[in-house]
Amino acid sequence: MASSSEPMPNLIAQFKNVEGEATGPQLSLPSTITTEQLNILINELLTNEDKLPYSFYIEGSEITTSLTDAISQLKDFSTENTLTIVYQPQSLFRVRSVARCTSSLPGHSEAILSVSFSPDGSSLATGSGDATVRLTREL
């Protein structure tokens, strides 16, 4: 490894998914590349229309800031070897607003905010934004 006063050279890296399949060719990456730049690169390699967030790992350790920081934690690292970077999509939740009511219960003039079934399942209590509670016994 280069001494702390010398900048680390470019590294040859291969992206792989969690199943171990290679993505794209081996690339020469600057050792100072950040996780944001890795995200841009992997989205381009995968030709994602919607840019997705990914996590990146080297030998099971997550890259949290830059490649330089991640490889400084490795034992027996050599710039002569190809570095395997495993990527994994992060959880993505998309919230879509509801523009219309899909079903209703009679007796409330506002949206239902709370619902509770009786222990035996024979009745239902609903609380609404109109400050009313309705009890339905026939289910």
Side-chain angles (χ1 to χ4, degrees):
M1 189 183 293
S3 70
S4 60
S5 62
E6 296 177 29
M8 191 174 293
N10 282 8
L11 306 167
I12 302 298
Q14 175 68 62
F15 285 101
K16 291 187 178 183
N17 61 20
V18 290
E19 288 82 31
E21 300 164 348
T23 302
Q26 292 182 354
L27 301 169
S28 176
L29 300 177
S31 60
T32 56
I33 194 167
T34 65
T35 53
E36 291 82 13
Q37 293 166 325
L38 288 171
N39 264 297
I40 293 167
L41 183 56
I42 198 66
N43 274 291
E44 287 296 321
L45 287 171
L46 295 172
T47 61
N48 290 338
E49 286 183 27
D50 293 330
K51 303 304 179 201
L52 302 173
Y54 289 89
S55 296
F56 301 93
Y57 300 87
I58 298 174
E59 295 182 9
S61 297
E62 186 172 7
I63 302 170
T64 55
T65 54
S66 71
L67 203 50
T68 303
D69 293 341
I71 59 179
S72 69
Q73 304 299 317
L74 299 177
K75 295 178 184 175
D76 302 322
F77 174 75
S78 170
T79 57
E80 301 290 323
N81 298 331
T82 300
L83 185 65
T84 300
I85 301 174
V86 177
Y87 65 92
Q88 176 177 331
Q90 293 180 349
S91 298
L92 183 64
F93 300 96
R94 295 189 178 166
V95 178
R96 295 187 180 143
S97 62
V98 177
R100 61 183 172 84
C101 182
T102 57
S103 63
S104 63
L105 290 173
H108 291 294
S109 61
E110 293 287 326
I112 295 173
L113 304 175
S114 179
V115 176
S116 183
F117 286 94
S118 65
D120 64 359
S122 65
S123 55
L124 173 72
T126 57
S128 170
D130 61 7
T132 61
V133 175
R134 301 271 313 174
L135 212 60
T136 307
R137 294 188 189 271
E138 303 89 32
L139 294 179

